[in-house]
Amino acid sequence: MSDIVSNNTNPLPKKRGRPRKDPLDQIARQKLIRAGLISLTEHGYSAVSVDEVLTSSGITKGSFYHHFKSKADYGLALIEAYHEYFAAKMMAWFEQSDLAPLDRLRGFVTDAEAGMAKYAFRRGCLVGNLGQEMSVLPADVSERLIAVLEDWQRRTASCLRQAQHQNQISQKHDPDALAAFFWIGWEGAVLRAKLERNPEPLRCFAAGFFTLVSN
């Protein structure tokens, strides 16, 4: 019994676990991601250098390479951050059960236009911008862009399928094909809106798309 008591008086060994992340380290990474999203939605991948990102973020080159192995690795991280942000924006509209499904998609379109207008149509879609530079992108970056677009299409197809179930869309339409058509056209409209610095291409495409699905 005394052995048990004496053993219990010894301090318990500390459990091993993952070391806590340095908050300053995470702030640096967030600044790099934000600076990259701004630069690449405005100018694209090949037009932006690592040095430009460092200047705009105020982060050192050593810190950059602490977080990212290369510019390509950085590009992948930007795609993930943008996809996470944009998918959340989509679902914030698509899950509004108090709206009819087509009105959810209309709300998303209007919200996206407002997002471009906020920056005077200088910023486009990161995925669309990078998609135009496929010839200079590493293969894994290109593959990830395609996967992101396919994910957006699936989410949109689900919304359109709900619209079909509520008789907002004719049964003759294929929601998956309509979703693919939407994103092919929408990305082109975003590019044109950025080029012309006005919302008319977005509105023109949206009006045509909703007329198509309603017939």
Side-chain angles (χ1 to χ4, degrees):
M1 182 67 71
S2 61
D3 289 340
I4 294 175
V5 172
S6 62
N7 286 340
N8 286 342
T9 60
N10 292 331
L12 293 173
K14 292 182 179 180
K15 293 182 179 180
R16 292 185 178 181
R18 293 181 179 179
R20 291 184 179 180
K21 294 181 178 180
D22 184 346
L24 294 179
D25 210 32
Q26 292 306 299
I27 290 172
R29 191 180 193 280
Q30 290 168 7
K31 286 183 176 180
L32 287 167
I33 292 292
R34 177 169 175 75
L37 290 175
I38 292 172
S39 296
L40 268 66
T41 50
E42 287 190 12
H43 307 297
Y45 182 84
S46 58
V48 177
S49 68
V50 171
D51 286 340
E52 289 176 271
V53 171
L54 298 179
T55 299
S56 59
S57 65
I59 303 301
T60 65
K61 183 171 288 189
S63 183
F64 178 91
Y65 286 107
H66 168 70
H67 292 288
F68 310 105
K69 294 180 292 185
S70 62
K71 184 180 177 183
D73 185 45
Y74 180 52
L76 282 170
L78 293 177
I79 292 170
E80 293 307 315
Y82 190 81
H83 175 43
E84 182 178 338
Y85 156 78
F86 208 72
K89 180 184 283 287
M90 290 174 67
M91 298 318 294
W93 282 103
F94 292 174
E95 292 177 354
Q96 290 196 33
S97 58
D98 57 324
L99 294 177
L102 276 188
D103 290 335
R104 299 173 202 172
L105 185 56
R106 287 189 180 95
F108 165 73
V109 166
T110 301
D111 190 23
E113 178 188 319
M116 289 193 73
K118 182 178 179 180
Y119 300 103
F121 296 93
R122 295 191 311 274
R123 300 181 190 176
C125 171
L126 179 94
V127 172
N129 284 0
L130 294 180
Q132 297 172 64
E133 302 181 82
M134 294 285 277
S135 62
V136 299
L137 295 176
D140 55 347
V141 174
S142 300
E143 290 168 4
R144 187 57 191 146
L145 289 174
I146 293 170
V148 168
L149 285 169
E150 289 175 343
D151 179 69
W152 294 352
Q153 285 179 196
R154 282 192 294 271
R155 295 171 190 267
T156 305
S158 177
C159 182
L160 292 170
R161 199 166 283 111
Q162 292 177 54
Q164 196 171 55
H165 289 162
Q166 295 185 22
N167 296 317
Q168 288 188 290
I169 293 177
S170 169
Q171 296 300 314
K172 70 180 181 181
H173 289 306
D174 178 355
D176 293 307
L178 282 178
F181 177 76
F182 175 86
W183 282 103
I184 291 169
W186 181 254
E187 288 296 337
V190 168
L191 173 63
R192 184 77 175 265
K194 183 183 174 187
L195 178 66
E196 297 180 4
R197 296 287 196 270
N198 71 68
E200 288 310 311
L202 303 177
R203 295 174 182 177
C204 179
F205 171 74
F209 179 82
F210 288 114
T211 297
L212 170 67
V213 301
S214 298
N215 292 333

